[in-house]
């Protein structure tokens, strides 16, 4: 009886996965082998791997995602570490999470107001005598906005891993004569790597497929795989090529999850 109940409870989840995860991926795979007329072809993959434009686009996507991930990690780890040691840590975490409740489009337009020729940043630069500069539609502006948007998703898993640390191990390191820096680098950081890896996944994977920010902030200068998929599906109507790029993007995401997974031995111990 209990097994039947368990199965009945899992049916909705199985249906959800099949309809909204498996089926779309299968549809992408099928469409990636079709041309604009719906006929079977391998030309989409041949074009992708032989085209310097698509390969450069792939490199740009990985490069920008890597830089944004590094920026968010360098900002988020110290911030999460300080927050985890504060008295009202959960309150400060809530303040970090609050910006994620604001619509992404609204945040993008807010940065347009900040970075435009007559925006707040250029007005300040003019006030101090540096003069206005072209900030919008540059790689730098795209990475700043992308990092700002992704920072909460890096902070949350790191914060959780730091809060859950076994304080007795930290106290033992200090009792054995470890300096604060040694305690941080030899005990705290290694023990919180699961949160770091989860944060890298939460930032690197979405950044690979950004397209709204690349349009609004980076202009046409920043072309990524997400932008190419949008272009093929909505503009050129070449769904086969768009699906091919989507499959490449899924493979890149799977590879990221594979390399940042928690490696454990039998018995639950991590590999050294």
């Amino acid at each position: 009886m209990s097994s039947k109940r368990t199965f009945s409870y899992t049916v909705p989840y199985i249906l959800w996965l099949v309809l909204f995860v498996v089926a779309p991926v299968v549809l992408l795979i099928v469409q990636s082998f079709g041309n604009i007329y719906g006929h079977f072809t391998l030309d989409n993959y041949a074009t992708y791997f032989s085209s310097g434009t698509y390969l450069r686009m792939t490199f740009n996507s990985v490069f920008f995602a890597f830089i944004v991930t590094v920026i968010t990690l360098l900002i988020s780890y110290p911030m999460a570490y300080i927050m985890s040691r504060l008295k009202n840590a959960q309150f400060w975490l809530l303040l970090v999470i609050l910006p994620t409740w604001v619509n992404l489009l609204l945040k993008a337009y807010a940065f347009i107001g900040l970075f435009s020729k007559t925006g707040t940043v250029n007005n300040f630069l003019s006030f101090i005598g540096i003069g206005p500069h072209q900030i919008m539609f540059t790689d730098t502006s795209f990475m700043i906005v992308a990092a700002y948007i992704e920072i909460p998703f890096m902070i949350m898993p790191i914060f959780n891993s730091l809060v859950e640390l076994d304080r007795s191990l930290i106290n033992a390191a200090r009792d054995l004569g470890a300096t604060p820096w040694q305690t941080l680098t030899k005990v705290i950081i290694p023990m919180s790597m699961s949160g770091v890896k989860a944060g890298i996944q939460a930032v690197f994977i979405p950044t690979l497929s950004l397209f709204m920010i690349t349009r609004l902030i980076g202009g046409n200068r920043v072309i990524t795989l997400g932008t190419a998929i949008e272009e093929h599906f909505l503009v050129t109507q070449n769904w086969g090529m768009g699906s091919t790029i989507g499959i490449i993007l899924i493979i890149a995401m799977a590879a990221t999850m594979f390399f940042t997974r928690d490696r454990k031995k039998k018995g639950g111990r991590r590999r050294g």
Side-chain angles (χ1 to χ4, degrees):
M1 186 67 180
S2 60
S3 61
K4 291 183 178 180
R5 285 185 178 180
T6 303
F7 177 75
S8 63
Y9 292 151
T10 58
V11 167
Y13 299 101
I14 294 174
L15 290 176
W16 178 274
L17 288 175
V18 171
L19 291 175
F20 298 105
V21 178
V22 177
V25 172
V26 171
L27 182 61
L28 274 180
I29 294 173
V30 172
Q31 287 185 340
S32 69
F33 290 103
N35 57 21
I36 57 176
Y37 303 106
H39 300 150
F40 177 83
T41 181
L42 296 175
D43 290 345
N44 293 326
Y45 287 95
T47 300
Y48 179 88
F49 289 106
S50 63
S51 172
T53 301
Y54 287 121
L55 294 178
R56 184 168 60 252
M57 193 181 303
T58 304
F59 173 80
N60 288 340
S61 297
V62 175
F63 174 76
F64 285 129
F66 174 76
I67 296 298
V68 170
T69 303
V70 171
I71 293 172
T72 55
L73 179 59
L74 292 177
I75 295 173
S76 299
Y77 198 97
M79 188 172 180
Y81 178 73
I82 294 172
M83 287 169 49
S84 67
R85 296 169 64 87
L86 296 177
K87 184 177 181 180
N88 299 316
Q90 296 298 329
F91 170 75
W92 294 106
L93 180 63
L94 177 62
L95 294 182
V96 170
I97 297 174
L98 277 177
T100 63
W101 299 355
V102 180
N103 185 272
L104 178 61
L105 189 60
L106 293 178
K107 288 188 281 190
Y109 278 114
F111 274 100
I112 291 175
L114 289 173
F115 291 159
S116 64
K117 277 287 187 180
T118 58
T120 305
V121 175
N122 270 320
N123 287 340
F124 176 75
L125 294 177
S126 300
F127 175 75
I128 62 178
I130 299 178
H133 292 278
Q134 178 62 40
I135 303 175
M136 282 290 295
F137 309 130
T138 61
D139 296 348
T140 301
S141 63
F142 165 71
M143 288 188 286
I144 290 174
V145 176
Y148 167 79
I149 292 171
E150 300 293 347
I151 276 178
F153 303 103
M154 179 69 79
I155 289 179
M156 285 188 286
I158 296 176
F159 174 86
N160 290 331
S161 66
L162 290 171
V163 168
E164 294 172 359
L165 286 181
D166 188 350
R167 306 300 300 182
S168 63
L169 296 177
I170 299 175
N171 294 331
R174 292 172 178 170
D175 291 341
L176 292 172
T179 63
W181 176 252
Q182 289 174 327
T183 303
L184 176 65
T185 56
K186 302 296 185 181
V187 179
I188 297 176
I189 292 179
M191 292 177 61
S192 61
M193 282 305 296
S194 61
V196 172
K197 291 178 180 179
I200 290 173
Q201 291 179 0
V203 172
F204 186 86
I205 292 176
T207 306
L208 276 176
S209 56
L210 282 177
F211 67 91
M212 184 189 300
I213 302 303
T214 58
R215 291 288 191 190
L216 296 177
I217 305 298
N220 290 327
R221 292 191 70 259
V222 181
I223 304 297
T224 62
L225 292 178
T227 309
I229 293 173
E230 178 204 22
E231 189 79 15
H232 282 301
F233 273 99
L234 300 181
V235 180
T236 66
Q237 297 294 307
N238 188 350
W239 289 17
M241 196 65 211
S243 299
T244 300
I245 300 174
I247 294 300
I248 299 298
L249 190 57
I250 291 173
I251 293 173
M253 293 176 178
T256 302
M257 296 184 68
F258 175 80
F259 288 113
T260 56
R261 74 190 190 283
D262 275 337
R263 297 172 175 83
K264 296 182 179 180
K265 287 183 177 181
K266 293 182 179 180
R269 292 185 300 173
R270 294 178 183 176
R271 294 175 183 172

